[in-house]
Amino acid sequence: MISSQLIEDAIRAELWSRGDVRDEMFPTSQRVIFDRLETWRHQHPGDMGPAVLNCHRGLGKSYFLTLYGIARCLEKAGTVVRFGSPTLTQTEEIAIPILTKILANAPPAIRWRKVANNYYFKSPLHPARTPESVFNLFSCKEDAESMRGKRAHVILLDEVRSIPSAQYVIDEVLLFLFAGQEDPMMILSSTPPKHPEHAFTSYYIPAAQKEGRYFKMSIDENPDFPEAQRRMLAKVCGGVDTVGWKREALCITLPDPSALAVYEFSAPGAEAAIVREVEMPSHY
Protein backbone atom coordinates (compact mmCIF):
# COMPACT_ATOMS: atom_id res chain seq x y z
CA MET A 1 0.00 0.00 0.00
CA ILE A 2 1.34 3.42 -1.01
CA SER A 3 1.54 5.84 1.91
CA SER A 4 -0.28 9.17 1.78
CA GLN A 5 3.09 10.95 2.19
CA LEU A 6 4.46 9.32 -0.96
CA ILE A 7 1.35 10.38 -2.85
CA GLU A 8 1.67 13.96 -1.58
CA ASP A 9 5.36 14.02 -2.53
CA ALA A 10 4.58 12.74 -6.03
CA ILE A 11 1.86 15.37 -6.52
CA ARG A 12 4.16 18.14 -5.28
CA ALA A 13 6.96 16.99 -7.61
CA GLU A 14 4.57 16.96 -10.56
CA LEU A 15 3.30 20.46 -9.78
CA TRP A 16 6.83 21.85 -9.42
CA SER A 17 7.85 20.19 -12.68
CA ARG A 18 5.09 22.14 -14.41
CA GLY A 19 6.11 25.40 -12.73
CA ASP A 20 3.18 25.40 -10.32
CA VAL A 21 4.60 26.45 -6.94
CA ARG A 22 1.48 28.10 -5.55
CA ASP A 23 1.33 25.69 -2.61
CA GLU A 24 4.53 27.33 -1.32
CA MET A 25 2.72 30.69 -1.02
CA PHE A 26 0.44 32.16 1.64
CA PRO A 27 -3.03 31.17 0.42
CA THR A 28 -5.05 34.38 0.60
CA SER A 29 -2.37 36.97 -0.15
CA GLN A 30 0.60 35.81 -2.23
CA ARG A 31 -1.38 33.14 -4.07
CA VAL A 32 -4.17 35.62 -4.85
CA ILE A 33 -1.63 38.04 -6.35
CA PHE A 34 0.02 35.19 -8.29
CA ASP A 35 -3.32 34.14 -9.81
CA ARG A 36 -4.21 37.73 -10.73
CA LEU A 37 -0.81 38.24 -12.37
CA GLU A 38 -1.08 35.01 -14.33
CA THR A 39 -4.63 35.83 -15.44
CA TRP A 40 -3.47 39.20 -16.72
CA ARG A 41 -0.41 37.65 -18.38
CA HIS A 42 -2.44 35.08 -20.31
CA GLN A 43 -5.04 37.66 -21.32
CA HIS A 44 -2.36 40.03 -22.64
CA PRO A 45 0.28 37.88 -24.36
CA GLY A 46 3.25 39.88 -25.58
CA ASP A 47 2.43 42.96 -23.48
CA MET A 48 5.76 44.35 -22.24
CA GLY A 49 4.23 46.95 -19.95
CA PRO A 50 5.39 46.53 -16.34
CA ALA A 51 2.97 45.04 -13.84
CA VAL A 52 3.09 46.93 -10.53
CA LEU A 53 2.84 45.38 -7.06
CA ASN A 54 2.09 47.99 -4.40
CA CYS A 55 1.96 45.75 -1.34
CA HIS A 56 2.53 46.33 2.35
CA ARG A 57 5.73 45.67 4.26
CA GLY A 58 5.70 42.16 5.68
CA LEU A 59 3.62 40.57 2.93
CA GLY A 60 6.67 38.73 1.64
CA LYS A 61 7.06 40.53 -1.68
CA SER A 62 10.67 39.40 -2.18
CA TYR A 63 9.75 35.79 -1.39
CA PHE A 64 6.83 36.04 -3.80
CA LEU A 65 8.98 37.48 -6.61
CA THR A 66 11.58 34.75 -6.11
CA LEU A 67 8.97 32.00 -6.22
CA TYR A 68 7.41 33.57 -9.30
CA GLY A 69 10.81 33.58 -11.03
CA ILE A 70 11.42 29.93 -10.14
CA ALA A 71 7.97 29.04 -11.45
CA ARG A 72 8.71 30.67 -14.80
CA CYS A 73 12.11 28.91 -14.99
CA LEU A 74 10.43 25.52 -14.50
CA GLU A 75 7.45 26.24 -16.73
CA LYS A 76 9.49 26.44 -19.92
CA ALA A 77 13.04 25.36 -20.77
CA GLY A 78 15.49 28.13 -21.61
CA THR A 79 13.62 30.86 -19.76
CA VAL A 80 15.81 33.75 -18.61
CA VAL A 81 14.65 35.43 -15.40
CA ARG A 82 16.49 38.49 -14.05
CA PHE A 83 15.96 39.62 -10.45
CA GLY A 84 17.23 43.08 -9.54
CA SER A 85 17.12 45.73 -6.85
CA PRO A 86 18.91 49.07 -6.31
CA THR A 87 22.37 47.54 -5.64
CA LEU A 88 24.02 44.16 -6.10
CA THR A 89 24.66 43.81 -2.37
CA GLN A 90 20.98 44.44 -1.71
CA THR A 91 19.94 41.97 -4.41
CA GLU A 92 22.19 39.28 -2.95
CA GLU A 93 21.06 39.95 0.62
CA ILE A 94 17.41 39.78 -0.45
CA ALA A 95 17.40 36.89 -2.90
CA ILE A 96 20.12 34.43 -1.89
CA PRO A 97 18.68 33.51 1.55
CA ILE A 98 15.23 33.10 0.00
CA LEU A 99 16.56 30.97 -2.87
CA THR A 100 18.57 28.86 -0.42
CA LYS A 101 15.51 28.22 1.74
CA ILE A 102 13.17 27.43 -1.16
CA LEU A 103 15.60 25.18 -3.03
CA ALA A 104 16.52 23.25 0.12
CA ASN A 105 12.92 22.00 0.11
CA ALA A 106 12.50 21.58 -3.65
CA PRO A 107 11.43 18.12 -4.86
CA PRO A 108 14.46 15.93 -5.75
CA ALA A 109 13.22 15.70 -9.35
CA ILE A 110 13.97 19.40 -9.84
CA ARG A 111 17.57 19.82 -10.90
CA TRP A 112 19.29 23.08 -10.13
CA ARG A 113 22.80 24.42 -9.76
CA LYS A 114 24.37 27.72 -8.75
CA VAL A 115 27.21 29.44 -10.58
CA ALA A 116 28.13 32.84 -9.14
CA ASN A 117 24.88 34.86 -9.20
CA ASN A 118 23.13 32.56 -11.66
CA TYR A 119 20.81 29.73 -10.65
CA TYR A 120 20.24 27.16 -13.42
CA PHE A 121 17.09 25.01 -13.51
CA LYS A 122 15.99 21.88 -15.32
CA SER A 123 12.56 20.33 -14.95
CA PRO A 124 12.01 16.63 -15.76
CA LEU A 125 9.29 17.83 -18.14
CA HIS A 126 11.70 19.96 -20.19
CA PRO A 127 12.44 18.30 -23.53
CA ALA A 128 15.82 16.66 -23.94
CA ARG A 129 18.67 18.79 -25.28
CA THR A 130 16.90 22.04 -24.43
CA PRO A 131 18.86 24.74 -22.59
CA GLU A 132 18.56 25.19 -18.85
CA SER A 133 16.51 28.07 -17.53
CA VAL A 134 18.43 30.66 -15.55
CA PHE A 135 17.55 32.90 -12.59
CA ASN A 136 20.05 35.77 -12.67
CA LEU A 137 20.74 38.29 -9.87
CA PHE A 138 21.75 41.81 -10.90
CA SER A 139 21.94 45.42 -9.74
CA CYS A 140 19.96 48.32 -11.16
CA LYS A 141 22.89 50.57 -10.28
CA GLU A 142 26.14 48.72 -11.00
CA ASP A 143 24.85 46.39 -13.72
CA ALA A 144 22.23 48.46 -15.54
CA GLU A 145 24.41 49.55 -18.45
CA SER A 146 25.98 46.09 -18.75
CA MET A 147 22.49 44.70 -19.45
CA ARG A 148 22.55 46.28 -22.89
CA GLY A 149 22.68 43.57 -25.55
CA LYS A 150 21.38 40.87 -23.22
CA ARG A 151 17.94 39.27 -23.24
CA ALA A 152 15.30 38.20 -20.72
CA HIS A 153 11.83 36.70 -20.63
CA VAL A 154 11.05 37.83 -17.09
CA ILE A 155 12.42 40.83 -15.15
CA LEU A 156 11.62 41.17 -11.46
CA LEU A 157 12.52 44.44 -9.74
CA ASP A 158 12.34 44.68 -5.95
CA GLU A 159 12.42 47.83 -3.79
CA VAL A 160 11.79 50.00 -6.85
CA ARG A 161 11.22 53.00 -4.57
CA SER A 162 14.99 53.15 -3.98
CA ILE A 163 16.17 52.73 -7.57
CA PRO A 164 17.75 56.02 -8.73
CA SER A 165 16.88 57.13 -12.27
CA ALA A 166 14.31 54.33 -12.26
CA GLN A 167 12.49 55.40 -15.42
CA TYR A 168 15.73 55.53 -17.40
CA VAL A 169 16.88 52.14 -16.12
CA ILE A 170 13.50 50.51 -16.79
CA ASP A 171 12.38 52.16 -20.03
CA GLU A 172 15.67 52.71 -21.82
CA VAL A 173 17.68 49.71 -20.66
CA LEU A 174 15.70 46.83 -19.17
CA LEU A 175 12.57 46.81 -21.35
CA PHE A 176 14.77 46.35 -24.41
CA LEU A 177 15.88 42.98 -23.01
CA PHE A 178 12.46 41.74 -24.15
CA ALA A 179 13.19 42.41 -27.83
CA GLY A 180 12.34 39.32 -29.86
CA GLN A 181 11.35 37.30 -26.76
CA GLU A 182 8.11 35.38 -26.33
CA ASP A 183 5.86 35.93 -23.33
CA PRO A 184 7.73 38.84 -21.69
CA MET A 185 6.88 39.89 -18.15
CA MET A 186 8.23 42.68 -15.95
CA ILE A 187 7.10 43.12 -12.35
CA LEU A 188 7.87 46.23 -10.31
CA SER A 189 7.47 45.70 -6.57
CA SER A 190 7.65 48.24 -3.77
CA THR A 191 5.84 50.29 -1.19
CA PRO A 192 5.36 53.97 -2.11
CA PRO A 193 8.56 56.06 -1.87
CA LYS A 194 8.93 59.09 0.39
CA HIS A 195 8.99 61.39 -2.62
CA PRO A 196 5.82 61.08 -4.77
CA GLU A 197 7.70 62.40 -7.80
CA HIS A 198 9.67 59.13 -7.95
CA ALA A 199 8.76 57.26 -11.14
CA PHE A 200 7.22 54.34 -9.22
CA THR A 201 4.35 56.52 -8.01
CA SER A 202 4.33 59.35 -10.56
CA TYR A 203 4.54 57.18 -13.68
CA TYR A 204 4.38 53.40 -13.26
CA ILE A 205 1.44 53.16 -10.86
CA PRO A 206 -0.85 55.42 -12.98
CA ALA A 207 0.18 53.61 -16.18
CA ALA A 208 -0.46 50.21 -14.61
CA GLN A 209 -3.83 51.33 -13.23
CA LYS A 210 -4.86 52.51 -16.68
CA GLU A 211 -3.86 49.23 -18.34
CA GLY A 212 -5.21 46.89 -15.63
CA ARG A 213 -1.83 45.62 -14.42
CA TYR A 214 -1.81 47.29 -11.02
CA PHE A 215 -2.01 44.96 -8.03
CA LYS A 216 -2.34 46.42 -4.53
CA MET A 217 -2.63 44.74 -1.15
CA SER A 218 -2.53 46.76 2.05
CA ILE A 219 -2.07 45.23 5.48
CA ASP A 220 -5.82 45.62 6.07
CA GLU A 221 -6.56 43.64 2.90
CA ASN A 222 -4.31 40.71 3.84
CA PRO A 223 -6.12 37.95 5.79
CA ASP A 224 -2.83 36.04 6.12
CA PHE A 225 -1.19 38.75 8.24
CA PRO A 226 -1.50 38.04 11.99
CA GLU A 227 -3.53 40.62 13.89
CA ALA A 228 -1.05 40.59 16.78
CA GLN A 229 1.77 41.58 14.42
CA ARG A 230 -0.39 44.25 12.87
CA ARG A 231 -1.03 45.84 16.28
CA MET A 232 2.65 45.59 17.21
CA LEU A 233 3.81 47.24 13.99
CA ALA A 234 1.21 49.99 14.31
CA LYS A 235 2.50 50.72 17.80
CA VAL A 236 6.13 50.79 16.65
CA CYS A 237 5.18 53.17 13.81
CA GLY A 238 3.60 55.56 16.28
CA GLY A 239 0.01 54.69 15.45
CA VAL A 240 -2.23 54.13 12.46
CA ASP A 241 -2.48 57.86 11.71
CA THR A 242 1.23 58.35 11.01
CA VAL A 243 2.66 58.90 7.55
CA GLY A 244 4.91 55.86 7.98
CA TRP A 245 1.98 53.54 8.70
CA LYS A 246 -0.12 54.91 5.87
CA ARG A 247 2.73 54.55 3.38
CA GLU A 248 4.30 51.24 4.48
CA ALA A 249 1.21 49.40 5.73
CA LEU A 250 -1.69 50.92 3.81
CA CYS A 251 0.32 51.54 0.58
CA ILE A 252 -0.89 55.13 0.28
CA THR A 253 1.26 57.59 -1.63
CA LEU A 254 2.17 60.38 0.77
CA PRO A 255 5.05 62.86 0.82
CA ASP A 256 7.56 62.89 3.66
CA PRO A 257 6.52 65.96 5.73
CA SER A 258 10.18 66.73 6.54
CA ALA A 259 10.95 67.03 2.83
CA LEU A 260 8.15 69.47 2.01
CA ALA A 261 8.97 73.05 1.12
CA VAL A 262 5.63 74.12 2.66
CA TYR A 263 4.84 72.69 6.06
CA GLU A 264 1.97 70.20 6.06
CA PHE A 265 -1.15 70.39 8.23
CA SER A 266 -0.67 66.72 9.18
CA ALA A 267 1.82 67.57 11.93
CA PRO A 268 0.23 68.01 15.40
CA GLY A 269 -0.61 71.66 16.02
CA ALA A 270 0.51 72.75 12.56
CA GLU A 271 -2.89 73.98 11.39
CA ALA A 272 -3.45 76.06 14.53
CA ALA A 273 0.00 77.64 14.16
CA ILE A 274 -0.43 78.47 10.47
CA VAL A 275 -4.12 79.30 10.16
CA ARG A 276 -4.78 81.82 12.90
CA GLU A 277 -6.22 85.24 13.47
CA VAL A 278 -3.67 87.98 12.83
CA GLU A 279 -4.02 91.25 14.67
CA MET A 280 -4.51 94.13 12.26
CA PRO A 281 -2.20 97.11 12.61
CA SER A 282 -3.69 100.35 14.00
CA HIS A 283 -3.03 102.11 10.72
CA TYR A 284 -1.75 101.14 7.24
Side-chain angles (χ1 to χ4, degrees):
M1 182 177 178
I2 302 176
S3 71
S4 59
Q5 186 61 55
L6 286 175
I7 294 173
E8 288 178 12
D9 291 346
I11 292 173
R12 184 168 180 263
E14 177 66 21
L15 291 173
W16 270 67
S17 298
R18 298 177 182 181
D20 186 345
V21 298
R22 287 176 295 174
D23 284 348
E24 314 299 320
M25 300 177 181
F26 290 118
T28 55
S29 54
Q30 295 171 343
R31 197 183 302 177
V32 168
I33 295 170
F34 181 91
D35 289 341
R36 289 174 181 170
L37 273 170
E38 287 296 271
T39 298
W40 178 83
R41 169 192 165 201
H42 292 299
Q43 290 177 347
H44 302 83
D47 190 333
M48 298 183 188
V52 172
L53 302 187
N54 179 15
C55 301
H56 72 88
R57 293 277 295 279
L59 178 134
K61 297 185 293 294
S62 303
Y63 178 84
F64 171 82
L65 289 179
T66 304
L67 263 180
Y68 184 85
I70 291 173
R72 292 294 299 269
C73 283
L74 296 174
E75 181 184 307
K76 185 177 180 180
T79 297
V80 177
V81 174
R82 301 192 186 275
F83 182 109
S85 75
T87 68
L88 185 58
T89 297
Q90 192 171 1
T91 300
E92 292 172 340
E93 290 177 347
I94 290 171
I96 291 178
I98 296 173
L99 283 159
T100 301
K101 180 179 180 180
I102 292 172
L103 296 177
N105 295 305
I110 302 300
R111 291 186 294 164
W112 66 273
R113 61 189 180 94
K114 181 180 185 294
V115 179
N117 277 334
N118 295 306
Y119 290 76
Y120 295 90
F121 291 88
K122 193 75 172 177
S123 163
L125 298 183
H126 289 174
R129 297 188 180 87
T130 53
E132 296 171 297
S133 294
V134 60
F135 190 113
N136 164 251
L137 306 181
F138 76 99
S139 159
C140 290
K141 181 179 180 182
E142 298 101 325
D143 299 331
E145 293 300 329
S146 68
M147 286 290 160
R148 294 178 179 273
K150 298 180 181 179
R151 293 292 178 263
H153 300 94
V154 181
I155 300 175
L156 310 170
L157 299 185
D158 204 6
E159 299 297 343
V160 177
R161 57 175 286 161
S162 300
I163 297 176
S165 305
Q167 192 165 356
Y168 166 75
V169 171
I170 293 167
D171 288 5
E172 298 189 35
V173 180
L174 297 180
L175 280 173
F176 280 87
L177 273 63
F178 291 147
Q181 307 304 301
E182 294 182 1
D183 201 12
M185 182 68 157
M186 178 182 286
I187 301 176
L188 311 181
S189 174
S190 188
T191 51
K194 291 194 299 183
H195 303 288
E197 67 272 15
H198 187 281
F200 183 73
T201 45
S202 66
Y203 179 72
Y204 291 108
I205 285 181
Q209 288 173 324
K210 182 179 178 181
E211 299 296 331
R213 39 186 163 78
Y214 175 68
F215 306 91
K216 172 182 168 289
M217 184 169 286
S218 71
I219 203 167
D220 290 342
E221 298 168 321
N222 182 0
D224 289 325
F225 201 80
E227 178 60 26
Q229 287 191 33
R230 181 188 180 281
R231 291 196 300 269
M232 179 190 70
L233 288 173
K235 183 179 180 180
V236 170
C237 282
V240 296
D241 294 324
T242 60
V243 171
W245 178 260
K246 291 176 181 178
R247 194 164 52 218
E248 301 292 345
L250 302 184
C251 309
I252 299 172
T253 299
L254 289 171
D256 184 351
S258 65
L260 294 176
V262 178
Y263 201 61
E264 201 179 46
F265 283 176
S266 61
E271 184 171 355
I274 297 172
V275 183
R276 64 186 190 278
E277 291 293 331
V278 178
E279 183 180 351
M280 295 295 291
S282 58
H283 62 278
Y284 52 89

